[in-house]
Amino acid sequence: MSDQKTTTLNFKELAMELLPEGASFEACLTCGLCSSGCPASGLENMDPRKFIRMALLGMDEELSTTPWIWCCTQCKRCQHVCPMNIDISQLVFIARGNWPQEKKPSGIVRSCELIRSTDSTSAMGLPPEDFIFVVDDVLKEVRETQTGFEKLEAPMDKPGTHFFVNQNSREPMSEPDEMVPLWKIFDMVGADWTYSSKGWAAENFCMFSGDDDAWYKVIKTRVDAVNKLGCKVWLNTECGHSYYTMWNGIHKFNMDVNFKLESLVTYYAQWIREGKLPVNSDWNVNNIKFTVQDPCMIVRKAYGDSIADDMRFVVKKLVGEENFIDMQPNRSANYCCGGGGGFLQAGMTDHRRAYGKRKFDQIAATKAAYVLTPCHNCHSQMEDIGHFYGGDYGVVHFWTLICLSLGILGENERTYLGPDLLALLD
Amino acid sequence: MIEEARYFETELAVIGSGIAGCAASIFALNKKITTAQVGNTGAVAYTTGYLDLLGKLEGDKGAIDNPWDAITALKDRCPDHPLNGISAADIRAAFNEFTAFLGECGIAYSSPGDSNITALSPAGTLKKTLCVPATMAAGPKAFAAKTACVIVDFKGLKGFSGKQVVANLHKQWPTLKAERIVFPEMLSGEIYPEVMARALEVEKTREALAESIKAVAGNAKVIGLPAVLGMHNPDFIKTELERLTGFEIFEIPTMPPSVPGIRLRELFEQVFPEKGIILIPQQKVSSLTFDDDSATLSLTDNHGPITIKAKAVILATGRFLSGGLEAHITGINESLLNLPVTQPAKRDDWYFEQYTDSRGHAIHKAGIEIDDSFRPIGEDGRPYHERLFAAGIILAHQDWIRSRSGAGIAIATAYKAVEAVDNFLHA
């Protein structure tokens, strides 16, 4: 942390500018529904209602410097439950951007810098040539070692394909075998797809740092990459904020884009409905229970309940309807787990775990053995709070379970399976 | 960016997601009318959970014991009141259908009886209501029987004080006591009923709370708690806590943001889509237009534009809080179609001088007019459109807060509006 002073913003003025049409702070009853349903309430002696009231009282210096803005994951649940539709997360975004770079959590700043350090836009700084090498290397090994996948493809920079597929950097960087189930799924449904050596990475911590300019540049690199290859659909894989940052950024920065933005989850559902992914739950002979975590970034903040319903359709097909226990509340009303907004990278471990206690309770209430989620930040956070609070559940990707159900999950692709699931494969 | 606009076709579109809107969707569902529901949730999350029919008559000092008799009297006192055109049999049927639906979906309620129930308020005062959630039912019974009871409240929970409840009731209920305990794993800071309710859905939390309750129960036979007994399965949580403590337990509503209202909202949002209702909550309809064979609703949610074509529309947009009515310097407007609003002649007449004036304030009876078929009246004194109906507190000539009749007006008028829609669609 440096001594650089944080500029004091006029939050009341900003709030007034951000109000949706017809909304009014005068009509705010200070009812507290926002704070009541916010897992960040109480951290740093702040909550959403307090934040708004302090803004209206002109307590700008306090709001300009409170570290609470790094505990708020900008999940927009406060807005979702507010009868007046007041969006506090936008004020938080502005407050984040206003912090001097040196004072912002270094993990978020560093991730943003790494994203901008190569054409990959990877928060782990993996350059294009390394991505190409890892994909090629893993593909070669699968072709050599896995029967039935001797001709598996993982196209790179192939022009004119239908799908431009992104990938969270965690896979090529730390657990490359986790890419394989996705390739197998594409192979099975006959998808016309490609990776790109440029703009392939999913994550965007520049948005979390409140830096508009950096956010725009990351999106621009990715949009240019899709346009260059002439793909029809930018397909977001199992990563929550990557969809939001691209979709929201394109709107926010008024960008001219001639392709569609889609989420892999909707395609899982579509391919299952069309019979292209013939998954079933016959494998789940021990009736192992599963629940689902709805990533805020693609459900409440973007698609709404339609994608949440797709997720449930897929899970029920995979594990059996009777073995799916929905978390409460769910879909658009779901609670953020505490992994979003850069919280995992912000270095505020105690606060993040306190925030995550509610999610832990919700998972515990389901008594499920596994949580499925198509989001890497949700995944990491739920694993961490599970260990911290003594939970005995696992967290799995959709692609893992899809390939498990199809009987094509390779030995190196089973990292997230517990003994109960592994036993079924032996 | 290439986007696909979403388009839905339905028989009925309900605008508004408060009690009236949700009741309308339930009644439509039961009549197998395909339904889309959109619009703000408004104040539904603020309800106590009690469903009032009529608790007070204008001009009377006392509360109403028998709401069915009082409705007859309402015809003389308030001839234009929206409940007046509805038979007692229909009102009872509406309450039965509504509470039965809630029960089937996970929140059991008492059925409408022949008289009002004397229920406890968050402050320990008494109020008359018609139906109460099963989690609250033991409270009025314990009060009536003056059973030895401890009201337990929690360190850090604002807006609910056991001592206050006892202070207001001890003369009528001498065996009532108050105790304060720490909620499991919530030792410091402000805690919210919502957080406690969700935590009680975990078995370990229930077990810990049960031990704390037993430690302060003394010789009580029944325990009163603020309404925190779970969010999604309250009857089960209550039964479990009773099993673990050995005491009969009841909830008392708390100040907003309170659990019973959030329970209802989350129940509706969970169950309606499962039952085939197209539900788009929290989004205001930006335009409503009619042509010869349908109505068109336009709105935008986070993901973009939505169009709904419907054969009939029920306007249940509420009053000021929910945005159905708007108060301006020049007068009060209906916000979506600019329907004529019955209102005081001038702004100076909206309120009496004193906020607590026992006569109530004229603005609280502002609203739109309807005909016998629950169709709103337009500028020309005739129904605005044959496809438009209305229900709930947007209707004029009632002060639901003072008469303790909010749920009654919402549920009964929604019942009649849906009946009128059904007649229109299927005549």
Side-chain angles (χ1 to χ4, degrees), chain A residues 18-76:
Chain A
L18 290 169
L19 274 178
E21 199 182 339
S24 157
F25 279 117
E26 283 75 16
C28 169
L29 299 172
T30 67
C31 72
L33 274 167
C34 51
S35 301
S36 165
C38 170
S41 284
L43 301 176
E44 294 291 343
N45 194 27
M46 184 63 75
D47 61 54
R49 170 170 54 180
K50 203 181 264 187
F51 200 92
I52 282 292
R53 302 316 297 170
M54 287 171 75
L56 293 181
L57 289 167
M59 298 172 74
D60 294 326
E61 198 176 329
E62 290 86 344
L63 293 184
S64 297
T65 53
T66 175
W68 183 78
I69 56 166
W70 304 102
C71 304
C72 162
T73 59
Q74 302 174 77
C75 79
K76 287 185 186 259

Side-chain angles (χ1 to χ4, degrees), chain B residues 94-109:
Chain B
F95 268 83
N96 269 322
E97 208 171 310
F98 187 73
T99 52
F101 182 90
L102 295 180
E104 285 161 20
C105 297
I107 303 179
Y109 264 81

Side-chain angles (χ1 to χ4, degrees), chain B residues 147-151 162 165-167 169-170 173-178 250:
Chain B
T147 313
C149 174
V150 171
I151 307 292
V165 173
V166 173
L169 287 174
H170 77 278
W173 195 350
T175 54
L176 191 65
K177 289 183 178 159
F250 66 89

Side-chain angles (χ1 to χ4, degrees), chain A residues 22 27 29 31-33 35-37 41 47 49 77 79-85 243 247 250-251 255-261 300-303 326 328-331 333 335 357-358 361-362 364-365 367 389, chain B residues 1-4 6 40-43 45-46 185-186 190 192-195 198-199 201-206 232 256-258 262 265-266 268-271 273-274 279 281-284 301-304 320-321:
Chain A
L29 299 172
C31 72
L33 274 167
S35 301
S36 165
S41 284
D47 61 54
R49 170 170 54 180
R77 195 173 194 279
Q79 182 186 14
H80 180 75
V81 298
C82 171
M84 303 315 296
N85 210 16
Y243 182 85
W247 169 75
I250 286 169
H251 282 286
M255 296 168 84
D256 192 16
V257 168
N258 292 318
F259 52 85
K260 278 187 180 177
L261 266 63
R300 177 167 52 251
K301 291 177 70 169
Y303 278 88
D326 218 341
Q328 297 287 355
N330 55 54
R331 300 177 298 161
Y335 274 61
K357 179 65 166 62
R358 294 208 202 173
D361 280 351
Q362 287 163 17
K367 296 186 177 172
Y389 290 112
Chain B
M1 187 163 52
I2 301 166
E3 288 184 309
E4 283 170 15
R6 283 157 294 163
N40 254 22
T41 49
Y46 302 149
E185 296 185 57
M186 295 183 194
E190 181 176 359
Y192 295 89
E194 179 176 352
V195 182
R198 297 194 196 281
E201 289 178 350
V202 180
E203 199 173 352
K204 230 170 78 178
T205 315
R206 290 196 293 272
H232 296 278
S258 64
I262 300 171
R265 180 184 163 170
E266 290 190 1
F268 293 139
E269 290 185 358
Q270 178 81 33
V271 167
E274 288 170 8
L279 180 67
Q282 279 304 81
Q283 306 298 338
K284 283 192 176 177
D301 72 358
N302 282 347
H303 210 53
F320 303 103
L321 174 67

Side-chain angles (χ1 to χ4, degrees), chain A residues 338-367:
Chain A
F343 213 173
L344 272 166
Q345 292 75 20
M348 306 165 93
T349 308
D350 291 346
H351 281 349
R352 176 173 55 75
R353 286 175 174 160
Y355 185 119
K357 179 65 166 62
R358 294 208 202 173
K359 181 55 58 188
F360 177 80
D361 280 351
Q362 287 163 17
I363 297 169
T366 67
K367 296 186 177 172

